[in-house]
């Protein structure tokens, strides 16, 4: 059964304090791994898609990396506006395109 | 990316009633997905809706409880039938991007059942 586990559940950082969020996954043939950001009361906002081990993608203060078992979302020098819940999801090769989500990591960045 | 809207954005309903949620996309898409996000939980897929065919439901979800319509390539509805407090959730529709596996989500419908 495809499964996604995210850690930690919650993370509190001071502004400028870099850290990483973890996403461990098991899937029968990875088609893609996705990172989303979700603000309270809103739908998930797409950040990155990763397809193969060793791949990396960056956007502003965020960098996503992928291995065969897990993905990391690195946040460099975060700002208060980076506060949100970050969701990880996988798509298996046998799926119709649907995503399997983790429970997310709630990030709080204090000024 | 596609622009997706949902109506209503939120609603409070009585037990035993039904609510229909609308999802509108600004471009034609083949596949649309409906997810549920219960408090403190992951997003869970309810069903996949393709235009011109019956929706495909995930284990634990049935058509009588969550009937779906997909009349054209830009619109879909999800009905939550005979509601109970356990149906209180955020309901989200999503669509696939053109030529990519990425999915884009609507803003969600926050449903509270009393």
């Amino acid at each position: 059964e495809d499964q996604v586990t995210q850690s930690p559940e919650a993370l509190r950082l001071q502004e400028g304090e870099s850290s990483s969020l973890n996403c461990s996954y098991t899937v029968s043939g990875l088609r893609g791994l996705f990172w989303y950001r979700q603000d309270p009361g809103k739908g998930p906002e797409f950040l990155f898609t990763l397809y193969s081990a060793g791949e990396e993608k960056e956007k502003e203060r965020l960098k996503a990396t992928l291995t065969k078992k897990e993905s990391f979302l690195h946040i460099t020098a975060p700002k208060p506006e980076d506060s949100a819940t970050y969701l990880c999801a996988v798509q298996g090769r046998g799926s119709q395109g649907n995503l399997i989500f983790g429970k997310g990591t709630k990030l709080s960045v204090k000024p | 990316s596609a622009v997706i809207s949902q109506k209503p954005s939120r609603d409070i309903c009585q037990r035993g009633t039904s609510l229909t949620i609308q999802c509108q996309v600004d471009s034609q898409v083949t596949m649309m997905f409906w997810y549920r996000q219960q408090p403190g939980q992951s997003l869970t897929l309810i069903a996949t809706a393709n235009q011109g065919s019956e929706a495909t439901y995930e284990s634990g979800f049935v058509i009588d409880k969550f009937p779906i319509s997909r009349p054209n390539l830009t619109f879909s509805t999800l009905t939550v039938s005979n509601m109970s407090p356990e149906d209180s959730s955020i309901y989200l529709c999503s669509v696939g991007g053109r030529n990519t596996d990425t999915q884009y989500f609507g803003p969600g419908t926050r449903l509270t059942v009393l």
Side-chain angles (χ1 to χ4, degrees):
Chain A
E1 182 180 343
D2 299 346
Q3 191 170 351
V4 176
T5 303
Q6 291 187 247
S7 62
E9 291 184 9
L11 181 62
R12 292 187 176 186
L13 300 174
Q14 288 296 127
E15 184 172 2
E17 179 186 3
S18 301
S19 188
S20 297
L21 283 55
N22 177 263
C23 171
S24 298
Y25 66 90
T26 55
V27 64
S28 52
L30 181 68
R31 186 168 161 182
L33 184 141
F34 305 83
W35 283 98
Y36 289 86
R37 168 188 171 133
Q38 187 173 27
D39 293 297
K42 297 187 176 181
E45 173 190 346
F46 170 72
L47 293 174
F48 303 109
T49 307
L50 301 167
Y51 293 103
S52 57
E55 189 175 0
E56 298 183 353
K57 288 193 176 174
E58 290 187 64
K59 179 181 180 180
E60 296 181 353
R61 294 177 293 281
L62 301 176
K63 178 180 176 180
T65 62
L66 180 65
T67 72
K68 289 185 177 180
K69 294 183 178 181
E70 58 190 350
S71 176
F72 291 94
L73 184 66
H74 307 278
I75 303 176
T76 302
K79 298 182 178 181
E81 53 262 41
D82 294 322
S83 297
T85 296
Y86 290 85
L87 302 171
C88 173
V90 297
Q91 189 178 69
R93 293 194 184 280
S95 73
Q96 289 192 64
N98 57 290
L99 303 177
I100 307 297
F101 279 87
K103 292 185 177 182
T105 294
K106 184 175 182 180
L107 174 66
S108 299
V109 182
K110 300 207 176 289
Chain B
S1 64
V3 177
I4 305 166
S5 60
Q6 287 185 232
K7 290 181 180 179
S9 59
R10 59 177 61 224
D11 207 343
I12 300 174
C13 301
Q14 295 297 319
R15 180 195 299 261
T17 62
S18 298
L19 177 72
T20 295
I21 301 168
Q22 299 179 6
C23 179
Q24 179 76 52
V25 189
D26 69 341
S27 58
Q28 294 184 339
V29 293
T30 302
M31 301 182 76
M32 295 179 77
F33 305 88
W34 286 98
Y35 289 83
R36 181 174 73 182
Q37 187 175 27
Q38 294 179 303
Q41 300 298 314
S42 310
L43 276 75
T44 302
L45 181 68
I46 297 171
T48 301
N50 293 337
Q51 193 270 336
S53 63
E54 295 291 324
T56 304
Y57 289 82
E58 295 298 300
S59 176
F61 297 96
V62 295
I63 187 171
D64 290 346
K65 176 67 175 177
F66 297 101
I68 287 172
S69 77
R70 182 80 201 273
N72 58 53
L73 291 173
T74 63
F75 186 79
S76 178
T77 67
L78 170 76
T79 298
V80 186
S81 303
N82 188 24
M83 289 184 286
S84 67
E86 292 71 34
D87 294 319
S88 297
S89 284
I90 298 173
Y91 291 86
L92 296 147
C93 69
S94 72
V95 303
R98 287 186 179 179
N99 302 318
T100 72
D101 295 318
T102 300
Q103 285 185 28
Y104 299 93
F105 285 82
T109 295
R110 182 180 293 273
L111 170 62
T112 301
V113 183
L114 303 178

